[in-house]
Amino acid sequence: MNLQANYEQIPLKEYAERAYLDYSMYVVLDRALPFVGDGLKPVQRRIVYAMSELGLAASSKPKKSARTIGDVIGKFHPHGDTSCYEAMVLMAQPFSYRYPLVDGQGNFGSPDDPKSFAAMRYTESKLSPIAEALLGELGQGTVDWVPNFDGTLEEPSWLPARVPHVLLNGSMGIAVGMATDIPPHNLRELVSACIRLLDEPDATVADLCEHVKGPDYPTEAEIITSRNELLAMYQNGIGSVRARAVYVREEGNIVITALPHQVSPSKILEQIAAQMRAKKLPMIEDLRDESDHENPIRLVLVPRSNRVDADELMPHLFATTDLEKSFRVNLNMIGLDGRPQVKDLKKILTEWLAFRTNTVTRRLNHRLAKVERRLHLLEGLRIAYLNLDEVIRIIRTEEEPKAVLMARFGLSEEQTDYILETRLRQLARLEEMKINAERDQLEEERARINVLLKSPTKLRSLIKEELRADAEKYGDARRSPLVEREAAQALDESALVASEPVTVVLSQKGWIRAAKGHDIDAEGLSYREGDGLLATAKARTTQQVAVIDSTGRSYSTPAHTLPSARGNGDPLTGRFTPPAGASFDALIAGDNDTRLILATDFGYGFVTRFEALTGRNKAGKQIISLSDGAKVLAPQASADPARDRIVVVTTEGHLLMFSVAELPELDKGKGNKLIDVPKKQLTEGERVAGIAVVAEGKGEVTMYAGARKLTLKWADLVEYGGNRATRGGLLPRGLRRVERIETTG
């Protein structure tokens, strides 16, 4: 016997492709995407239907959630009980669903941790009132019924939603090759748009957006997306929505009262606390969570002082935490044709209205059939009353009264059975009057239904009336206010640092650190063996610190990031990548607008702004063009270049003072000649020992030559005044080997 005869042999490639496509279709149609008609995924539909079958209406007593889940997975949805219970919990969470379909009693999670709900054996549940808008017409011939997974029961293919639930509560799902992200909306706005579309089938998406202003999340956070962006989102079916937390000022504190949808308060506190630990939020002294049952969201930020501007601080927090969050929108759903598609707002509402029109038509036809059947039975009963004696005689005397009655009075089999099943007490005269009254009422109803079915205008009017009634019954005011705002920007890092004085210390071997205060004895600090002090700079923690290397490249770093002076500091090579063999020769700190004089020991220099020295490139940027053998001198700051004087001294004792205004202001370069040092003297080793800046009419400089020093006050310096690029005057004989110069007054 050939055992392989019962098997189909196909290539593995073909089998894998077919199996994956089958799985993909299952996930898309039967798990991840909602149906445009009732806006539900299969698991949600089965939960709602199973609860209705258990009699768990809004007016009933709740039952254990385990009872519901048992029915759902045992009768309709043969999947895991945990995932099924999670789907039910989601429909019961008022912070997850805009209009919850399940009324849960017990621990169903919290905004802080939506998955902290109790096990299903502890919680109880029933349907919420709005679920009636999905189930109310279920038994009225409005849906197709299909066998359940094992063929023992029937379940509805969809629910006869009386409202556009697909947009009401929204949906999220990931299928194979596609996803859906439908935000929730306000019922009253959707109903208003549906009525507009019924009245004006040619209405555009822009027209409908006059009614549907935007998504309406369960939280009261602001939607800050612009109207144009929202319109584009509804026109294309894709886009994004940005929501921002709401805050108020209370007794100097900042109180956050609403968070964006699905944002955890504890995560917000954690994000803010992390910035505080990193010393990036010096404006905040403390934060606490005061949320309770009366105030579901109440996060309190305590500013360090009353001078803290909340309107400056909060945009930074919006930009750096989940206090402002963007939600992706992808209006992808299963259409009436059974295919997934990304639809615009008009297409969604048009399809749903077609679905609703079909549902109402089926409901009316179902009711018409019941009315006509009842009238048919009542007509047979009326004939029996008119011929009561003859009917009684036939029943008493004939062996087959059914056939005789049908032949004698022209009755149908159904009418005859109904007459034969009628009780004797219903043969009273009073009953005949009731029958006539019921018949008149039913005939009136039949006429009314026929008018509705034959008149599209009247049918639309009925749909509008029912929509208005449901909006009145279940609708409420918008929760998410629409406020157009620009996306928040984080504050500059320097604005987040407390402004404190520090002294930056650079060692000869390129190690840097910062000591608190400006009265620091840099010489007295400890240094690594073989190392010593090179330069210091007085700064504030909010400023940048710049260093210039021996090739004329500048590098910058924030002062507050420098290590403490209690240790030896950090090597600058860990922060920057200078050229091979280069050493760090100069140090300066300041604000971006600070004017600096950059000079070399060959006697050239220029004025620049401190901002020209800064940048984020670890490799730095070329700022000074150096001649072969030239070295960078310590930069000097000038508060007022128009009035300040620059004092230049050479190693051979030549000193010249001239106006800073005589120097050009450049972003980079070599600059102009400061003092004349003849080529012969340069060859023999004369260099510029240093430069100093003094204010006009005041100030003094001190020069050092070995163990000697000389201090010159303004009156003395005037004697050395001259034009830029001249030789200057000679210092006294004992100070003609100057090593350095500094401003001392």
Side-chain angles (χ1 to χ4, degrees), residues 272-494:
I272 297 175
Q275 292 190 45
M276 291 173 68
R277 285 194 298 272
K279 296 183 179 178
K280 292 184 177 180
L281 278 179
M283 306 88 99
I284 296 179
E285 182 178 7
D286 190 21
L287 70 161
R288 56 182 180 266
D289 187 354
E290 294 183 357
S291 306
D292 53 28
H293 289 293
E294 290 185 10
N295 303 290
I297 301 295
R298 184 177 169 83
L299 307 181
V300 181
L301 309 182
V302 182
R304 193 168 293 277
S305 73
N306 292 329
R307 294 189 301 275
V308 173
D309 187 351
D311 294 333
E312 284 187 7
L313 169 62
M314 290 308 292
H316 172 75
L317 293 179
F318 290 147
T320 57
T321 70
D322 285 344
L323 286 172
E324 184 173 306
K325 189 175 180 183
S326 184
F327 298 91
R328 184 176 60 187
V329 174
N330 181 16
L331 304 180
N332 190 8
M333 61 196 71
I334 308 296
L336 294 181
D337 58 0
R339 298 171 181 268
Q341 185 186 10
V342 176
K343 305 177 188 294
D344 61 44
L345 179 62
K346 181 177 180 181
K347 192 168 183 61
I348 294 171
L349 294 182
T350 301
E351 282 202 32
W352 183 81
L353 285 171
F355 166 82
R356 181 62 187 153
T357 302
N358 179 59
T359 301
V360 172
T361 303
R362 289 181 65 159
R363 186 189 80 202
L364 291 173
N365 280 321
H366 180 265
R367 178 58 186 165
L368 182 61
K370 291 184 74 172
V371 167
E372 289 181 337
R373 179 176 180 275
R374 182 62 181 164
L375 283 170
H376 182 61
L377 295 178
L378 290 176
E379 179 60 24
L381 205 55
R382 190 184 67 82
I383 292 172
Y385 274 118
L386 293 175
N387 303 278
L388 190 55
D389 293 339
E390 181 66 10
V391 169
I392 292 172
R393 187 193 65 77
I394 291 172
I395 293 172
R396 288 183 64 187
T397 59
E398 296 293 338
E399 289 185 7
E400 293 291 338
K402 181 177 178 180
V404 175
L405 285 171
M406 289 174 66
R408 172 73 177 80
F409 300 110
L411 300 171
S412 68
E413 185 175 351
E414 190 177 23
Q415 286 174 320
T416 308
D417 286 339
Y418 186 64
I419 292 169
L420 292 172
E421 290 169 5
T422 303
R423 297 177 181 178
L424 284 172
R425 67 181 179 187
Q426 290 181 260
L427 301 178
R429 187 69 185 169
L430 189 62
E431 290 296 326
E432 184 181 357
M433 294 170 64
K434 288 182 181 178
I435 288 170
N436 289 333
E438 184 182 355
R439 184 192 62 187
D440 293 342
Q441 185 179 349
L442 290 174
E443 284 180 345
E444 184 183 333
E445 184 179 355
R446 178 171 62 180
R448 188 168 66 251
I449 291 173
N450 279 321
V451 168
L452 289 169
L453 289 172
K454 291 175 183 176
S455 171
T457 304
K458 285 187 168 54
L459 190 62
R460 284 197 299 271
S461 296
L462 174 65
I463 293 171
K464 285 192 287 185
E465 287 173 17
E466 292 177 348
L467 280 170
R468 287 193 187 99
D470 285 332
E472 182 66 29
K473 186 175 182 180
Y474 305 116
D476 55 10
R478 166 175 279 278
R479 284 190 201 166
S480 301
L482 292 156
V483 185
E484 285 194 33
R485 301 185 195 274
E486 293 294 326
Q489 298 292 324
L491 287 173
D492 187 8
E493 193 173 357
S494 62

Side-chain angles (χ1 to χ4, degrees), residues 559-623:
H560 73 271
T561 65
L562 297 176
S564 167
R566 283 193 283 267
N568 291 322
D570 290 342
L572 284 172
T573 50
R575 292 173 180 254
F576 313 122
T577 53
S583 61
F584 294 101
D585 290 350
L587 172 73
I588 190 70
D591 297 321
N592 284 339
D593 291 331
T594 301
R595 294 300 196 277
L596 302 174
I597 299 168
L598 302 182
T600 66
D601 65 351
F602 271 33
Y604 287 84
F606 59 92
V607 177
T608 192
R609 292 170 68 239
F610 181 81
E611 188 177 23
L613 278 67
T614 63
R616 295 185 177 181
N617 192 346
K618 292 183 70 174
K621 60 182 180 181
Q622 194 70 39
I623 191 75

Side-chain angles (χ1 to χ4, degrees), residues 36-37 163-168 185-187 189-198 201 203-205 207-212 234 331 333 336 343-357 463 467:
V36 69
V163 292
H165 184 261
V166 69
L167 290 175
L168 202 61
H185 290 77
N186 186 273
L187 175 56
E189 291 181 6
L190 288 177
V191 166
S192 180
C194 286
I195 291 172
R196 172 78 176 268
L197 199 54
L198 285 169
T204 63
V205 173
D207 294 333
L208 298 177
C209 283
E210 293 175 11
H211 306 271
V212 180
Y234 286 122
L331 304 180
M333 61 196 71
L336 294 181
K343 305 177 188 294
D344 61 44
L345 179 62
K346 181 177 180 181
K347 192 168 183 61
I348 294 171
L349 294 182
T350 301
E351 282 202 32
W352 183 81
L353 285 171
F355 166 82
R356 181 62 187 153
T357 302
I463 293 171
L467 280 170

Side-chain angles (χ1 to χ4, degrees), residues 9 33 227 351 430 455 484 539 680 695 706 720:
Q9 290 189 339
L33 267 57
R227 183 170 177 77
E351 282 202 32
L430 189 62
S455 171
E484 285 194 33
K680 180 183 177 184
Y720 294 90

